[in-house]
Structure formats: C-alpha cells, structure tokens
Amino acid sequence: MNPRRTDEDVGKLRWSRRFTLVHRILALNLFTLLTLALTVIWLDTYRNQLRDERVGQLANKAQSAAEASVRVPEEERESLLAAIGAANGTRLRLYGPDGEKLADSWNVVGPTYRLRDPAEQPWTLDAARIIDRAFNAVVGADPIERFAEPEEDVAASWPEIAASRESGIATYEREAPERTPVFSAAARTNDDTVVLATINDRDYTDIVRRERASLALALLAATILSVLLSLFLARTIARPLRHIAVAAHRVRLGRAREVKVPRLPSRRDEIGQLARSISDMSQSLSARIDQMDAFAADVAHELKNPLASLRSAVDGLDNIEDPALRKQLLDVVRQDVVRLDRLVGDIAEAARTDADMARAQFEKVDLGMIACQMVASWQERRGLGDITLTCNRPEAGSLMVAGDESRLARVIDNLIDNALSFAPPKSEVSVEVKRIGNEIRVAVADEGPGVPDDEREAIFKRFHSRRPETEDFGRHSGLGLAIAAAIVKAHEGRIGIMDRTDGKPGAIFALRLPAWGSE
C-alpha cells in the first residue's frame, strides 16, 4: 500500500538522533542524579563497613578480656579489666553466672569516656546531627536505641549478655544523647561469667563526618559543573531560538524578503532542524507571496481586455441607431460576458486549487478507468465534430494510484480539451494509459501543429495562451493546463510534452503518477 505523500518535508524530519537535545538534557540530569546516588551509596557503604570494623574490634577486645579474666584469681580480675580498658578507652564489666556484677574497670581507673550533653555543644554540632538524621532518612537506616546506664547494673539489663550465653559473643549498638554511637560487646567465659565491653566511639562519628564533608565538596563541584553545563545548554537553546523568533517576527511583519532566517547547518539536533524548517518555510512563504502578486497582476491584465471591449461596446450602443450595427455590438457584449464568466470561473478554480489539494484525502483510484470515463463523456455529451477520440488501456494489470478522483478527472479533461482544440478536422485524438515501472502514465496524443521546444515549459504557466486561429474568441482562459500542472504536482507526479514517435504530426501531453504500492 502506498500512503499519501503530501509533504516533501516528511523525509527531512527524520533528522539524526545523535546528540539531540533530549539526549543532552537526559545526560545532564542523569549525571547529577547519578553523582548524588553514587555519593549516598558509597558513604552508606563506607559507614557500614567502618561500623562493622569497629564493632568487630570491640568484640575481639571483649573476647580477649574474657579469656584473660579466667586465668587470674578472682580478686585480681577487676585490676586486669581496668588495665585493659584504660589501654583502649573501653569500659569492661564482669558479670557472674547469677547475673550480678562482679567487677567494673571504672572502679579502678575512673571513666574512660563521658557521654556529652548536646545542649553544652556548639551549634555546628547541632547542624551535623541534623545532617546525620537526614542522611539516615535518605538511606532508610533503622532507628537506633538511645543509650542509658541501667538503674540496676545486672546482666539482665543488657540484652547482649543474654545473647552471648547462647552464641558465646554478641554485639549491640546504641546512640548517645549527642548522637554518637555506643558500641557494646559481651563475651562468655569458660566458667559461665560474661565480660561486657562498652565504648562511646566518637572517632567513628568524626571519621564518617569528615568523609561526608569531603564527598559534599565533590558533590558541590559536580553540582557547579552541572549548573555550568545547564547554562551552556540553555544558552545553546535560547540564543538560536531568540534569533529564530526575531526572524519569524520580522517575517510576520511582512519583511520576508529582507529576513535571512538562520539555518544553523552545523547543528544536527532539534534546534538545527527547527531553524532549517523555518528557513524553508519563510522561503516558501516568500515564493508564495511572489506567486500571489504575479497572479494578481496577471488577473488584472486578463480582465482588462474583455472589460475594455465590453465598455467600448456598451458606450457605442447609445450613439448607433442602425439595428444591424446595434445587433453586432450586442453580440460583442454577449461574447465578452461569456468570456468574463469563463475567466472568473477559471481564476477562482486556479486560486483555490492549491488550498483544496492540501486538504484533499487521497484514495486508491483506477487512473485507467477515469481516463476512459472522460473519453466516454466527451463522446456522448460533447461535440467532437469529425474528430475521433479513443481510449486505450491494458485489459490486465493494475493502473491504481493514490489521489483525488475528481481532481485527476479534471486533469485528463483539460488535456483532452486542449488536444481537441488543436486537432485538425478528420484527425484522431488518442488517450493511452499504461504502467511504466513504478509509474502510471496517461498520454493524450493529437495530430495538431505540435508545441515548439521553447514553449513546452511556459505552456503550463497561468494565462499562457497559444490558441489556434479557428477557435472561438474567449473559449479558453489560458488556465486549464496551469490547473492541471498544479493538481499533478500535488499528487507528486509529473506532466510534460513529448513529440510523437509514429511519424504523425502533433504532440503528446503525458502525465505520470506514482503507482499504488510503489515507494
């Protein structure tokens, strides 16, 4: 199936898809989003690895302290725990099988860490804690239990101790009031006692925040780069669009001939395509305006002659008394009126042909059938005199084209009318329809005087009239072939004049249209 091809720009609209504006905008947005996402993912992964590392170290210390505590007498255990805890800043407590606390490193060396009150800290740490909470919300971190020393310090107050009696060692994470982590690890000994190690690891928080600050600087640099790229992209869009808008505005003001719309040949994106499309449109508009001006001038010139003749005849009627002479003047008036009527009708049709063809819905039509129907119409309802009119078409084979049936009939009718007007008495006018490759050709041949080579293009222009001397005055307006050419062009076809190859005098007017189903 061959769909209607009404606009030559359809193929041009399939511009190159490389580096289009859509791709640039998507790449820019994806760059920013990807940078942010990778930053968040990397920082969350780094924080989790660092926490696991710190908790693992604390568990090893608790395990070492538990193994060492069973090797010394009970009265020396608290001193041993104090020495171990003081070396690494942890608090070590020992609980017996009954859950009672047996030893506490702080009883010997004092506190190795202190939980700080956020109200006593500078505002910068408040801002850091807000960022901490925001980051946790972004990554979907689970809420952490607040740390508080139990009112009764027994094994039952620490869930990690109960877990360690089952697995041997267990860890736990809580959060100090200033939102720094408090890690704890419980390790069971061979005599069923448990060593609990706790530490307020503010270094962990400092490391994470320093890393976050470094990443924030990198993200800021990426954001600045993204903004600069956005400004550059906006500039590459806005500036040419502004030039195109100014040019379009000047065209709208009627300065089409003065305006040079930028075509931007180096741009292969949507902006370049838009610039070239508007440039082509403005050139087409300028050409259409020139055509309208020329058409208006031609109409005025063509109307002037019959109107002058009509006015002269009407003015003469008042001064002539001879009945025979008055009858002649009245005949002139009637002929001029008929000529004007035909001329106005043809002018109206020529003027609306382009608009009508732009709105026409093309369908699958048999061009051979249309041609033979027009021949039959001439044979049955119009005077042919002693001229023979024939139609030849193949009995088999498709002669289908995509088009407007009534308009194509008008083209063939105009060609037949033109051929008959030049055909000498007792001659033949033949209409032949056949398929040649991917085209359907309609050839109308006459045995008239033919058409000189230098007039074969001009004959299809409006108001070009080269009529036989025997033709009645005013029968043709000089628009028939121009209308036919406009209709054929709208069907993406061709029309022209050829010499006869059979040795007979005359000319062949041929139109070619794409066959249905051809590309």
Side-chain angles (χ1 to χ4, degrees):
M1 181 176 180
N2 183 22
R4 178 187 176 189
R5 294 169 292 179
T6 60
D7 192 353
E8 295 180 357
D9 291 335
V10 170
K12 296 179 182 178
L13 290 177
R14 298 174 181 173
W15 60 80
S16 173
R17 295 294 178 182
R18 305 169 78 187
F19 308 114
T20 64
L21 289 177
V22 174
H23 295 153
R24 296 180 190 179
I25 294 172
L26 285 177
L28 183 58
N29 291 335
L30 287 176
F31 169 76
T32 305
L33 292 176
L34 186 61
T35 302
L36 178 60
L38 290 177
T39 300
V40 172
I41 293 172
W42 190 92
L43 183 58
D44 185 53
T45 302
Y46 175 81
R47 185 180 65 171
N48 293 336
Q49 291 177 348
L50 182 61
R51 181 181 61 245
D52 293 342
E53 179 183 342
R54 291 302 182 97
V55 171
Q57 291 175 355
L58 184 64
N60 292 334
K61 293 174 183 178
Q63 184 69 36
S64 299
E67 292 174 356
S69 66
V70 298
R71 293 191 179 95
V72 298
E74 293 183 2
E75 60 275 11
E76 297 180 4
R77 289 180 176 180
E78 191 168 63
S79 298
L80 174 65
L81 296 179
I84 296 174
N88 50 46
T90 59
R91 182 179 183 180
L92 298 174
R93 283 172 270 202
L94 181 65
Y95 297 89
D98 57 357
E100 294 296 324
K101 184 168 68 173
L102 303 179
D104 188 342
S105 63
W106 282 11
N107 291 337
V108 178
V109 297
T112 53
Y113 60 83
R114 182 175 66 86
L115 302 182
R116 299 177 180 180
D117 185 0
E120 300 175 355
Q121 294 181 323
W123 68 269
T124 53
L125 292 180
D126 290 334
R129 284 188 283 271
I130 292 174
I131 297 175
D132 291 340
R133 288 193 292 270
F135 183 81
N136 290 336
V138 169
V139 300
D142 296 329
I144 302 176
E145 177 185 342
R146 287 299 182 91
F147 178 81
E149 289 290 342
E151 296 181 359
E152 184 180 4
D153 194 358
V154 295
S157 301
W158 305 93
E160 55 267 48
I161 292 180
S164 69
R165 295 189 186 279
E166 299 292 334
S167 59
I169 189 168
T171 60
Y172 211 87
E173 180 183 0
R174 298 177 179 84
E175 191 174 67
E178 61 169 341
R179 302 190 70 86
T180 55
V182 176
F183 299 130
S184 60
R188 181 172 57 85
T189 63
N190 294 335
D191 58 359
D192 209 25
T193 58
V194 176
V195 172
L196 175 66
T198 59
I199 185 173
N200 180 207
D201 197 346
R202 287 192 292 270
D203 287 343
Y204 162 83
T205 302
D206 292 340
I207 293 173
V208 171
R209 288 175 178 172
R210 283 197 301 269
E211 194 65 29
R212 186 176 63 201
S214 299
L215 291 176
L217 291 176
L219 184 60
L220 177 61
T223 302
I224 293 174
L225 177 61
S226 177
V227 170
L228 293 177
L229 290 175
S230 298
L231 293 174
F232 173 75
L233 183 59
R235 184 179 180 183
T236 60
I237 295 174
R239 175 180 289 181
L241 284 180
R242 189 180 303 112
H243 292 330
I244 295 172
V246 170
H249 178 69
R250 296 185 65 189
V251 171
R252 184 180 65 84
L253 294 177
R255 303 174 185 172
R257 294 172 179 80
E258 307 173 9
V259 179
K260 183 178 180 181
V261 179
R263 294 186 62 85
L264 306 180
S266 62
R267 295 193 62 155
R268 301 184 60 83
D269 55 14
E270 294 88 339
I271 298 295
Q273 181 63 32
L274 175 63
R276 290 184 285 277
S277 297
I278 293 182
S279 177
D280 293 340
M281 181 188 68
S282 65
Q283 293 176 9
S284 176
L285 179 61
S286 179
R288 180 62 61 87
I289 293 174
D290 290 341
Q291 292 175 1
M292 292 175 62
D293 291 344
F295 183 59
D298 291 340
V299 167
H301 179 268
E302 292 297 321
L303 289 176
K304 181 183 295 185
N305 291 335
L307 284 175
S309 176
L310 182 61
R311 181 175 60 184
S312 176
V314 171
D315 291 343
L317 286 174
D318 294 334
N319 302 322
I320 297 175
E321 301 295 336
D322 185 359
L325 207 52
R326 288 177 64 87
K327 184 178 181 301
Q328 290 180 5
L329 290 177
L330 287 174
D331 289 340
V332 171
V333 170
R334 293 189 186 95
Q335 291 177 5
D336 287 337
V337 169
V338 171
R339 182 184 178 190
L340 282 172
D341 180 66
R342 179 184 295 274
L343 185 60
V344 169
D346 288 346
I347 289 172
E349 182 174 1
R352 66 172 178 263
T353 294
D354 291 342
D356 289 348
M357 293 308 303
R359 295 190 297 266
Q361 296 296 322
F362 284 7
E363 300 175 349
K364 185 178 180 181
V365 296
D366 188 337
L367 197 58
M369 182 188 67
I370 294 174
C372 290
Q373 285 179 348
M374 296 311 301
V375 169
S377 174
W378 275 93
Q379 292 171 340
E380 295 174 4
R381 292 184 290 273
R382 310 187 193 185
L384 296 177
D386 53 2
I387 298 175
T388 303
L389 179 62
T390 62
C391 180
N392 302 311
R393 58 168 298 182
E395 296 182 358
S398 174
L399 298 175
M400 297 294 180
V401 298
D404 184 309
E405 183 174 349
S406 63
R407 288 293 181 172
L408 292 176
R410 178 60 191 273
V411 173
I412 298 174
D413 183 68
N414 286 358
L415 294 181
I416 294 175
D417 186 16
N418 181 77
L420 290 173
S421 66
F422 282 96
K426 298 181 181 181
S427 65
E428 179 184 3
V429 173
S430 64
V431 180
E432 181 186 43
V433 187
K434 65 179 181 180
R435 178 163 184 157
I436 302 177
N438 290 329
E439 294 181 324
I440 307 299
R441 190 189 76 173
V442 179
V444 180
D446 62 62
E447 298 178 5
V451 181
D453 292 342
D454 57 352
E455 291 190 21
R456 293 189 175 184
E457 291 186 6
I459 201 171
F460 293 103
K461 295 182 179 180
R462 289 169 175 169
F463 299 112
H464 180 89
S465 183
R466 181 178 179 272
R467 312 309 307 168
E469 297 178 356
T470 58
E471 183 177 287
D472 293 337
F473 177 74
R475 179 184 169 189
H476 291 90
S477 62
L479 289 171
L481 293 180
I483 294 173
I487 295 174
V488 171
K489 182 179 179 181
H491 285 76
E492 296 186 350
R494 297 174 294 159
I495 189 169
I497 304 173
M498 303 182 300
D499 293 323
R500 298 189 64 138
T501 58
D502 54 5
K504 295 181 180 180
I508 299 176
F509 284 72
L511 70 93
R512 296 172 181 261
L513 296 178
W516 183 272
S518 64
E519 295 296 334

